[in-house]
């Protein structure tokens, strides 16, 4: 059995080709630039060449690509975008036009504009998951990529209604998933909620004839960290995913998820993160303390103090926690921290693809018992 797992971040896209015929540590892996990084590079090249840009495709992650587009507009150069592509920057298209200076045009207008200005125009197709590009990368090494299933993780703020903070909207979504009976934060492609537009875009563009599992990146990394035996052997654990843009921390205990907060990595220092984790352990962390600090929010389900003697950290910005007074353990599931999200995706596949579960669980160490605090 083969499963292609792709964890799409803002700095890198981390790729694992799971093959049940070999040890997990010997499965093929790639750590490549994130799609938003690739788009940003092409926008910057168009800016240097003083050429107009047309953005097509679907809703994808922003970040660096958005900053590059804003620089392009500030340079006095035109940017056109179809509605679905424009929503990569903001769900409110009026904001995209008014505040970013992008002209939003229909799909028909885009095709006509391409026909009339094909020589000067740079057309960029936006999408988070490019199966053809990944297949070509493996083909360069003589491998015909033919997985039995796909698993893709992206970070999704969701489509917040007008007047509702996207930070609040995402945190409300996380809480809804935690309170639901199934807390996995993962879906088969047909079951992705309509409000999760970035996940929906992946589902619609996967172009794969087989099962497709889609998951949120931050919980995927946390779930992957829980597969590290050092983390799994603790009855209680705090697990932090320190990503390039977002930091998500779970407090886990015998009864399940006892608390959670999410913040923007670029807005916190090590000392600030240490303090937030302490408050989470003490049961005193308030939603407003994180939200008013430009984070997403916090919620504590168990307000009884918990010992902070097991803090595991993963994520590309995990170095932020070096020297932390909490003496964190830097989790390395199956010897590779950068693939934590992919391992989390693989564990999610065991739940959403019952026919594959025995094989996947055997590859993950043969454990069929679920720890009481696992994110399921």
């Amino acid at each position: 059995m083969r499963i292609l797992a792709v964890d799409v971040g803002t700095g890198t896209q981390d790729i694992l080709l799971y093959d049940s015929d070999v040890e997990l540590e010997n499965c093929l892996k790639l750590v490549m630039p994130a799609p938003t990084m690739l788009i940003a590079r092409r926008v910057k090249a168009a800016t240097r060449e003083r050429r107009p840009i047309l953005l097509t495709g679907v809703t994808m992650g922003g970040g660096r690509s958005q900053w590059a587009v804003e620089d392009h507009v500030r340079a006095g150069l035109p940017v056109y975008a179809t509605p679905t592509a424009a929503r990569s920057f903001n769900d409110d298209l009026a904001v995209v036009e008014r505040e970013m200076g992008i002209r939003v045009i229909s799909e028909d207008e885009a095709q006509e504009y391409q026909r009339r200005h094909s020589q000067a125009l740079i057309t960029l197709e936006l999408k988070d998951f490019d199966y053809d590009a990944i297949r070509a990368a493996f083909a360069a090494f003589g491998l015909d990529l033919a997985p039995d299933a796909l698993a893709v993780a992206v970070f999704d703020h969701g489509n917040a209604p007008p007047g509702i903070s996207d930070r609040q909207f995402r945190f409300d979504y996380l809480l809804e998933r935690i309170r639901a009976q199934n807390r996995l934060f993962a879906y088969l492609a047909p079951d992705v909620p309509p409000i999760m537009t970035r996940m929906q875009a992946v589902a619609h563009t996967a172009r794969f004839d087989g099962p497709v599992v889609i998951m949120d990146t931050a919980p995927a990394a946390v779930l992957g960290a829980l597969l590290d035996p050092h983390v799994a052997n603790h009855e209680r654990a705090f697990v932090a995913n320190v990503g390039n843009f977002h930091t998500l921390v779970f407090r886990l205990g015998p009864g399940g998820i006892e608390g959670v907060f999410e913040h923007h990595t670029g807005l916190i220092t090590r000392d600030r993160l240490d303090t937030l984790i302490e408050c989470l352990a003490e049961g005193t962390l308030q939603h407003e303390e994180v939200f008013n600090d430009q984070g997403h929010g916090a919620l504590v389900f168990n307000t009884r103090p918990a010992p902070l003697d097991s803090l595991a950290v993963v994520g590309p910005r995990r170095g932020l926690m070096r020297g932390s007074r909490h003496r964190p353990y830097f989790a390395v599931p199956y010897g590779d921290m950068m693939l934590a999200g992919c391992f989390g995706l693989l564990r999610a596949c065991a739940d959403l693809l019952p026919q594959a579960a025995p094989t996947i669980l055997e590859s993950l160490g043969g454990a069929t018992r679920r720890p009481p605090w696992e994110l399921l």
Side-chain angles (χ1 to χ4, degrees), residues 23 48 53 62 74-76 88 100 132 157 245-246 279:
E23 297 87 351
R48 290 192 296 269
I53 292 173
R74 279 193 288 266
S88 300
M100 292 188 63
D132 290 340
H157 278 96
F245 272 28
H246 296 89
C279 292

Side-chain angles (χ1 to χ4, degrees), residues 168-292:
Q168 183 66 61
F169 191 77
R170 171 173 166 82
F171 198 72
D172 289 343
Y173 161 76
L174 292 177
L175 297 185
E176 183 274 327
R177 297 307 303 160
I178 291 172
R179 288 177 171 134
Q181 186 175 1
N182 179 356
R183 298 178 297 195
L184 193 58
F185 306 95
Y187 311 88
L188 290 171
D191 301 327
V192 173
I195 60 171
M196 306 313 291
T197 50
R198 192 175 173 192
M199 290 185 182
Q200 282 276 353
V202 172
H204 292 153
T205 58
R207 298 182 185 140
F208 178 74
D209 185 19
V212 179
V213 172
I214 302 176
M215 190 174 187
D216 191 277
T217 54
V222 170
L223 184 56
L226 293 174
L227 298 173
D228 183 317
H230 182 87
V231 184
N233 287 336
H234 287 83
E235 183 182 38
R236 290 184 174 277
F238 292 78
V239 183
N241 175 50
V242 188
N244 282 310
F245 272 28
H246 296 89
T247 292
L248 178 71
V249 181
F250 279 108
R251 168 180 160 176
L252 307 166
I257 298 172
E258 297 183 346
V260 60
F261 73 84
E262 188 170 60
H263 211 309
H264 290 104
T265 307
L267 298 180
I268 52 177
T269 62
R270 183 192 65 200
D271 288 343
R272 177 61 174 155
L273 184 52
D274 272 348
T275 298
L276 291 173
I277 293 172
E278 281 176 4
C279 292
L280 184 64
E282 293 166 357
T284 60
L285 186 61
Q286 299 295 312
H287 173 75
E288 293 75 16
E289 183 175 357
V290 176
F291 187 80
N292 293 340

Side-chain angles (χ1 to χ4, degrees), residues 308-351:
L308 219 176
D309 54 6
S310 176
L311 169 62
V313 181
V314 290
R317 294 285 305 280
R318 66 178 188 164
L320 184 68
M321 290 297 287
R322 289 196 179 95
S324 162
R325 57 183 179 268
H326 303 314
R327 294 178 297 176
Y329 169 72
F330 292 96
V332 283
Y334 308 101
D336 198 330
M337 183 280 299
M338 284 299 291
L339 273 291
C342 292
F343 297 133
L345 279 166
L346 189 59
R347 182 61 183 84
C349 287
D351 263 52

